Amino acid sequence: MGKKVLIVGGVAGGASCAARLRRLDESAQIIVFERGDYISYANCGLPYHVGDVIKQRSALILQTPEAMGAKYNTDVRVRQEVTGIDRAAKTITVKKLDTGETYDESYDTLVLSTGSSPVRPPIPGIDSKRIMTLWTVPDTDRIRAYIGEHGVKSAVVVGGGFIGLEMAENLRHAGLEVSVVEMLEQVMAPLDFEMAQLVHEHLARKGVDLRLSDGVASFEETDGGVTVALKSGRKLTAGLVILSIGVRPNSELAKAAGLEVNARGGIVVNAGLRTSDPDIYAVGDVIEVEDFVDKGRAMVPLAGPANKQGRIAADNIAGGHETYDGTQGTSVAKIFDMTAAATGQSEKTLVKKGLVKGRDYETLIITQNSHASYYPGAVPMNIKLIFSKDGRRIYGAQIVGADGVDKRIDTIAAVIRLGGAVRDLKTLELAYAPPYSSAKDPVNMAGFVAENILTGKVAFAPWDADLTDGSVVALDVREAAEVEAYALPAYKHIPLGQLRKRLSELDRDSAVVTFCAIGVRSYNAARILMENGFKNVRVYPGGTRFYQSMHYKESEVIPMTNAETVADSGDTAKPAPGASMRLDCSGMQCPGPIMKVFEAMKALKDGESLEVAASDPGFARDIGAWARRTGNTLVSNEKRGSDYVALVRKGGAASAPVQASGAEGKTIIVFSGDLDKVLASFIIANGAAAMGRPVTMFFTFWGLNVLRRTNKVRVDKTFVESMFGGMMPRGASKLKLSKMHMLGMGTAMMKGIMKKKNVSSLEELIKKAQQNGVKIVACTMSMDVMGIKKEELIDGIDYAGVGTYLADAEESNVNLFI
């Protein structure tokens, strides 16, 4: 008989260690102790059994004690808990849970694979039977039985981590109304906020009530369920509560034996996974590991590392010299139709460690399709890459999308593991065929864009850029139909194909942020501008799709519904009942589906309907906005299999189109510099813009003073120009009333009354006009006559001559001269 090895804990690390050790040493005596009923089960699959996605409970049981004993000649003892370790005597004390009997067992080598347990904080009312955790097979049985026996219709999931979101999804699959409560400002802590925001939007579209930045204050069991009182004062009531707050290492046994543990209770081990006692190894969730990226110490409870650690410990017990090189935290989760994945370190982790963006590291966010866009079923994914300023290190990556996310995060994880640099991403030769990828794989594209950043060919604007503060010009280069579907809060619209001819409409010295749908056209636009002398040009990451997701709360989010295909005889090419025409836009990427709808609707008569099927998830969001803005009616918006199917009826909208077509614009010439007249002009402009009418305000002569900056700007002027400028009011705050000014008293009284009556000031009205998309144009001819320079005027305005005004006036049905 060889050495005697005792393994405390089965499941991932322990079972892996036992199987590997037997393959290496047939003579070893191996005994596995498990206090539960199951030696090896798929705990990552438990949520899917709750939702009946995994229908057979037996599929979760990977190895029975009997089968493992027979296959690996291993003594497996379930429902036996190890309660103590005598390191000097090299024995453990074991309690038989069925009988209460205890006994001692000697060892030559001991392996601790005690794992972790769900956290149950001391919150008032937490002991209710309606409040459960999901960690073991019996937990799954308990939750399924309770839902069925008590007819549970609603649930609150506390915690927005991987298990919490998987439970939210599967409880929705089971037909329950679900709320998720998360104390942090985001779900899925490994992601940076902007990437988690994509998940937030998706959860909302799936009908999950998401409560962020709010913790639980107490639970109270009632006749109908559990009332969850939040720290904000709000209350939720549900028939069931699932706790998914986090886990803690089961290290009590190690602590009591005097083994070294860290502040969080993780057992400290060396590279060979030995504890502070050379005869005791530890693996899995219970140990402290090395962070592969920065070589610091970390706790990362993941199944993949636990299995690898069990194998390494077995190798070393058998006489090997294997080392565990650290955990980089590669993870992936399915959230309804979305996949979210991460590897390495997040940007917020780098910031906490004192690294500075632009000095120590750079980031990029790009949107790429899962495979060739012309092959049906291509769907977008958002990739965030974090890399060193010199490009030699990749700190981490995050990807959120639908298909193909897993293989891209694995590819980047492998490059990080092998010490690869940004250059290696672009040079990777990856398999390509239209159903699987593109000739330039998304991973290659991340490398190309990273190189462009490092060489100064492109710069990205921050994802949370404020487009309404007037400091930047948001240049939207999409087509008109795309803008109808979604318009930025403030923007200058020049389609990419017209940009070269219309460069004169932009100020070369202004800060410009380019936008398109997903970022490709906006990059081309940025290069055009940069090649033509524009000095401050940035690209918004991920395009308007990403911007829209970052601001999804500002728009009405209508949850998608799932439906069976309604076409007769399974023929999906036929229109649904009530539809006059059907468009199949599967595989077509933005702006394709919306453009096709725009064209098809022209051929329909009022009251006729168009059914559209698209594989692009963004279409489901865009079609509703497009219908509202064009005066059409969205009858239904469903998920059918892998397609998003909308039924749109021409006309019949309850309200007028937000963006009217034809001669319904408004043009206003602002000649006066009097406060009361300028107030009137902006009130009219904002009212028209709120009704969806395009508005142009043309400021000329004395009206130019409205647009002057309040602070004095040093510019080169002649003596006459300087004198002229000194006599004119500098900005909106300095304007006077046309009548009853009374040496300033009348103007002050007017402003005081406006404030008291909550009437917006002129400065606020100007800002609102810019936010509402009002085109504010300074007459360049008048500027020359008045001696006013561009540097003296506020940001966010256009500069043009009378021709621009006349062109807009021709498309207007109201022209005012003030």
Side-chain angles (χ1 to χ4, degrees):
M1 183 70 67
K3 68 172 63 176
K4 186 176 181 181
V5 180
L6 307 185
I7 301 175
V8 184
V11 194
S16 175
C17 181
R20 174 67 172 175
L21 182 57
R22 174 56 70 219
R23 287 191 289 267
L24 298 177
D25 187 350
E26 185 65 23
S27 66
Q29 182 184 1
I30 304 172
I31 306 174
V32 179
F33 299 88
E34 172 57 52
R35 64 183 176 184
D37 294 305
Y38 304 95
I39 188 63
S40 181
Y41 61 89
N43 62 344
C44 295
L46 299 181
Y48 300 100
H49 185 47
V50 172
D52 212 32
V53 175
I54 298 175
K55 297 185 180 299
Q56 298 299 322
R57 180 181 183 275
S58 59
L60 300 172
I61 311 302
L62 303 180
Q63 193 77 261
T64 65
E66 295 77 16
M68 187 168 185
K71 288 180 182 179
Y72 298 103
N73 188 25
T74 300
D75 183 359
V76 180
R77 302 177 186 178
V78 295
R79 296 194 57 75
Q80 296 197 24
E81 181 179 5
V82 177
T83 59
I85 302 171
D86 186 335
R87 291 166 54 194
K90 298 185 71 171
T91 62
I92 62 171
T93 300
V94 184
K95 180 180 180 180
K96 295 182 178 180
L97 297 181
D98 291 333
T99 64
E101 176 188 354
T102 63
Y103 66 94
D104 292 339
E105 191 75 55
S106 64
Y107 66 85
D108 295 314
T109 302
L110 178 65
V111 180
L112 300 180
S113 179
T114 47
S116 57
S117 298
V119 171
R120 290 184 71 98
I123 299 174
I126 200 169
D127 294 329
S128 166
K129 292 181 180 179
R130 291 178 180 266
I131 301 174
M132 306 181 188
T133 58
L134 179 67
W135 202 244
T136 65
V137 174
D139 291 339
T140 308
D141 297 337
R142 192 177 306 113
I143 293 170
R144 282 172 59 95
Y146 194 89
I147 291 174
E149 293 170 6
H150 294 82
V152 176
K153 301 297 183 184
S154 60
V156 171
V157 177
V158 182
F162 284 73
I163 295 177
L165 296 189
E166 288 168 354
M167 278 302 299
E169 174 188 352
N170 283 282
L171 290 170
R172 287 289 289 157
H173 283 320
L176 279 66
E177 294 297 319
V178 178
S179 296
V180 174
V181 176
E182 171 54 58
M183 185 170 61
L184 302 177
E185 65 173 355
Q186 67 169 80
V187 300
M188 300 194 74
L191 301 182
D192 287 315
F193 177 82
E194 67 272 27
M195 300 301 284
Q197 186 79 331
L198 298 168
V199 180
H200 300 161
E201 180 189 30
H202 188 66
L203 289 169
R205 293 194 178 279
K206 289 298 181 179
V208 175
D209 175 29
L210 187 59
R211 306 296 181 99
L212 298 172
S213 301
D214 208 350
V216 176
S218 66
F219 299 103
E220 182 181 357
E221 188 165 350
T222 62
D223 292 339
V226 178
T227 297
V228 184
L230 305 182
K231 292 181 179 178
S232 64
R234 294 176 292 184
K235 292 185 177 181
L236 302 171
T237 300
L240 176 69
V241 174
I242 301 294
L243 290 181
S244 183
I245 300 172
V247 297
R248 58 171 181 78
N250 295 328
S251 56
E252 294 82 2
L253 196 61
K255 291 178 187 176
L259 297 177
E260 184 182 357
V261 297
N262 65 18
R264 295 174 58 187
I267 300 175
V268 176
V269 295
N270 64 13
L273 300 175
R274 278 188 171 91
T275 67
S276 52
D277 185 324
D279 293 321
I280 302 177
Y281 290 77
V283 299
D285 292 2
V286 75
I287 70 169
E288 174 190 81
V289 297
E290 180 181 85
D291 185 298
F292 179 80
V293 177
D294 71 1
K295 306 308 176 185
R297 310 308 296 175
M299 299 284 293
V300 187
L302 292 171
N307 276 281
K308 294 178 182 66
Q309 292 158 12
R311 179 184 175 91
I312 290 170
D315 284 357
N316 292 336
I317 293 169
H321 301 283
E322 294 293 318
T323 59
Y324 183 69
D325 296 329
T327 301
Q328 66 190 69
T330 305
S331 56
V332 64
K334 175 183 176 295
I335 306 105
F336 295 97
D337 305 324
M338 179 175 277
T339 300
T343 188
Q345 295 190 324
S346 63
E347 183 176 6
K348 60 188 175 187
T349 299
L350 298 187
V351 171
K352 287 179 181 178
K353 293 181 178 179
L355 276 68
V356 178
K357 186 175 181 178
R359 185 193 71 187
D360 303 310
Y361 71 93
E362 292 286 356
T363 70
L364 63 84
I365 296 174
I366 59 174
T367 302
Q368 292 288 300
N369 288 324
S370 56
H371 58 246
S373 59
Y374 56 81
Y375 188 87
V379 287
M381 67 178 74
N382 297 279
I383 303 175
K384 178 172 183 176
L385 189 72
I386 308 161
F387 51 98
S388 63
K389 186 67 177 174
D390 60 10
R392 295 179 181 177
R393 293 187 66 193
I394 300 171
Y395 290 117
Q398 299 159 38
I399 309 180
V400 177
D403 295 338
V405 169
D406 53 342
K407 74 173 183 177
R408 271 57 184 233
I409 203 70
D410 285 345
T411 302
I412 297 175
V415 172
I416 293 175
R417 197 78 185 184
L418 297 174
V422 163
R423 180 182 181 278
D424 296 301
L425 296 181
K426 71 172 190 171
T427 59
L428 285 174
E429 184 176 338
L430 303 171
Y432 161 63
Y436 304 106
S437 184
S438 301
K440 296 176 182 176
D441 187 85
V443 173
N444 295 139
M445 289 302 300
F448 294 148
V449 175
E451 182 184 54
N452 285 341
I453 292 173
L454 296 175
T455 56
K457 293 182 179 65
V458 67
F460 281 104
W463 64 266
D464 56 353
D466 184 358
L467 304 184
T468 65
D469 67 357
S471 63
V472 299
V473 176
L475 177 62
D476 193 334
V477 299
R478 296 176 297 160
E479 299 301 317
E482 296 176 84
V483 178
E484 285 183 336
Y486 178 73
L488 296 166
Y491 62 95
K492 172 72 174 177
H493 180 220
I494 304 178
L496 180 62
Q498 302 176 24
L499 183 57
R500 289 182 176 87
K501 296 180 180 179
R502 296 174 62 181
L503 290 175
S504 60
E505 299 178 27
L506 301 168
D507 180 5
R508 282 175 166 76
D509 295 324
S510 294
V512 179
V513 177
T514 58
F515 283 83
C516 67
I518 60 173
V520 178
R521 286 172 289 172
S522 53
Y523 169 63
N524 290 328
R527 292 304 306 162
I528 291 171
L529 297 177
M530 294 170 73
E531 289 292 317
N532 280 276
F534 285 75
K535 305 297 184 185
N536 190 356
V537 181
R538 292 177 178 266
V539 174
Y540 186 80
T544 54
R545 285 290 182 86
F546 197 78
Y547 183 92
Q548 195 172 359
S549 293
M550 297 303 100
H551 299 82
Y552 78 93
K553 291 183 180 179
E554 299 169 14
S555 304
E556 182 183 6
V557 177
I558 302 174
M560 294 290 299
T561 58
N562 290 293
E564 298 297 326
T565 302
V566 297
D568 296 331
S569 304
D571 185 355
T572 57
K574 293 181 180 180
S580 306
M581 183 188 302
R582 187 180 195 276
L583 284 178
D584 187 356
C585 299
S586 296
M588 190 177 293
Q589 297 306 301
C590 181
I594 286 293
M595 297 297 290
K596 288 291 185 181
V597 172
F598 176 72
E599 294 167 4
M601 291 297 282
K602 293 178 183 178
L604 297 183
K605 299 176 182 178
D606 282 351
E608 292 185 329
S609 297
L610 171 70
E611 185 185 69
V612 192
S615 54
D616 179 7
F619 172 77
R621 176 177 58 194
D622 291 348
I623 190 62
W626 182 88
R628 287 195 303 272
R629 294 177 68 86
T630 55
N632 298 299
T633 303
L634 180 64
V635 178
S636 63
N637 197 8
E638 301 172 337
K639 180 78 185 298
R640 298 183 191 168
S642 59
D643 278 348
Y644 300 87
V645 182
L647 185 64
V648 184
R649 184 169 62 242
K650 186 168 184 176
S655 58
V658 177
Q659 178 112 13
S661 58
E664 295 193 6
K666 318 297 176 189
T667 50
I668 304 173
I669 298 177
V670 184
F671 177 85
S672 172
D674 295 328
L675 175 61
D676 43 345
K677 296 176 182 178
V678 175
L679 279 169
S681 68
F682 272 100
I683 290 171
I684 294 169
N686 279 312
M691 294 174 64
R693 306 303 192 254
V695 181
T696 297
M697 301 182 74
F698 191 74
F699 289 79
T700 182
F701 286 96
W702 311 114
L704 287 170
N705 292 315
V706 180
L707 306 181
R708 295 182 73 190
R709 296 180 187 271
T710 303
N711 57 305
K712 188 173 182 180
V713 180
R714 293 185 176 275
V715 290
D716 292 331
K717 286 189 175 186
T718 65
F719 176 72
V720 174
E721 288 175 336
S722 296
M723 287 190 62
F724 205 48
M727 291 186 290
M728 293 188 298
R730 186 178 290 119
S733 64
K734 303 295 183 182
L735 300 187
K736 304 173 182 178
L737 290 175
S738 61
K739 298 183 183 296
M740 297 176 63
H741 175 58
M742 298 184 296
L743 299 176
M745 292 177 58
T747 301
M749 290 171 61
M750 171 67 79
K751 290 182 178 180
I753 293 172
M754 289 172 62
K755 185 175 182 180
K756 185 176 181 180
K757 299 291 185 181
N758 291 320
V759 177
S760 298
S761 67
L762 177 55
E763 294 92 329
E764 292 169 336
L765 288 171
I766 294 172
K767 188 172 183 179
K768 286 181 180 179
Q770 291 179 310
Q771 293 172 349
N772 291 332
V774 172
K775 184 193 293 184
I776 298 177
V777 182
C779 176
T780 52
M781 181 276 291
S782 299
M783 289 173 62
D784 290 339
V785 173
M786 306 283 285
I788 295 176
K789 308 296 184 184
K790 288 184 179 180
E791 293 87 347
E792 296 180 88
L793 301 187
I794 62 175
D795 295 324
I797 64 175
D798 297 334
Y799 301 88
V802 69
T804 296
Y805 160 72
L806 292 174
D808 287 351
E810 289 180 358
E811 299 179 1
S812 301
N813 60 4
V814 172
N815 295 288
L816 301 177
F817 184 92
I818 298 177

